[in-house]
Amino acid sequence: MYGDAETVRRILTATGDTWAVVGLSSNRNRAAYGVAQVLQRFGKRIVPVHPKAETVHGEQGYASLSEIPFPVDVVDVFVNSEAAGGIADEAVEIGAKAVWFQLGVVDETAWERVRAAGLDMVMDRCPAIELKSLR
C-alpha cells in the first residue's frame, strides 16, 4: 500500500488546507468534481487545475500548477497514471508539501521521486473516502 495510515492522517489534518486538484473541471460526471466538493466541506480550499482553467465550486482555475500564484499544500492528481509522474514532478517544483494520487493512479517511480524529495505521498487512494473514515 502506498501511504500508511499516519501519512494519510497527516496529509488530511496537518499538512495544510490548500489543495490543487489536477484534472478538476466543471464536468459534474467526473470523480474530481465530487471529491473536490467533499474536500471543501471538510474545510479545504480547492484550486482547479485543468487546461480549460475553469472556475469550479467558486474557485478560480489554472491551466497548470506553475500558474497558481500562491502556495499549494497538497496536489491531488486525477490524471491517468502515464501523465501523473510529470504532475508529481511539478508538485515538487512548486514547493507543495504532499502529493496524492487518486484511486487507480499508480506510478511507482514517481512515488520514489516524490518521497526522495522529502514530500509525503499517498497513491491509489481517495481523500474523500479517507476523510469520512477520520470521523
Side-chain angles (χ1 to χ4, degrees):
M1 178 138 343
Y2 296 98
D4 60 83
E6 181 53 38
T7 301
V8 168
R9 179 175 291 283
R10 183 172 48 252
I11 292 172
L12 293 173
T13 63
T15 297
D17 291 332
T18 302
W19 285 55
V21 183
V22 180
L24 175 58
S25 71
S26 60
N27 184 342
R28 295 172 183 258
N29 296 320
R30 304 291 300 203
Y33 190 88
V35 170
Q37 271 186 320
V38 171
L39 289 168
Q40 279 187 318
R41 280 198 301 268
F42 279 86
K44 308 299 182 192
R45 177 185 184 190
I46 59 107
V47 182
V49 179
H50 190 278
K52 293 180 182 177
E54 299 174 291
T55 297
V56 184
H57 300 309
E59 294 287 349
Q60 169 64 47
Y62 298 89
S64 69
L65 290 173
S66 62
E67 292 182 17
I68 300 171
F70 48 82
V72 169
D73 299 309
V74 181
V75 175
D76 188 6
V77 181
F78 277 92
V79 301
N80 64 45
S81 296
E82 293 75 31
I87 301 298
D89 294 338
E90 195 174 353
V92 171
E93 290 172 20
I94 68 163
K97 298 173 188 170
V99 176
W100 192 298
F101 281 9
Q102 281 294 328
L103 289 171
V105 181
V106 176
D107 182 333
E108 292 179 3
T109 59
W111 166 271
E112 293 169 8
R113 289 192 310 272
V114 168
R115 301 288 293 144
L119 282 69
D120 278 333
M121 185 165 179
V122 172
M123 186 162 61
D124 195 24
R125 293 174 81 170
C126 179
I129 294 168
E130 301 298 334
L131 276 167
K132 291 175 184 176
S133 70
L134 289 180
R135 293 191 156 214

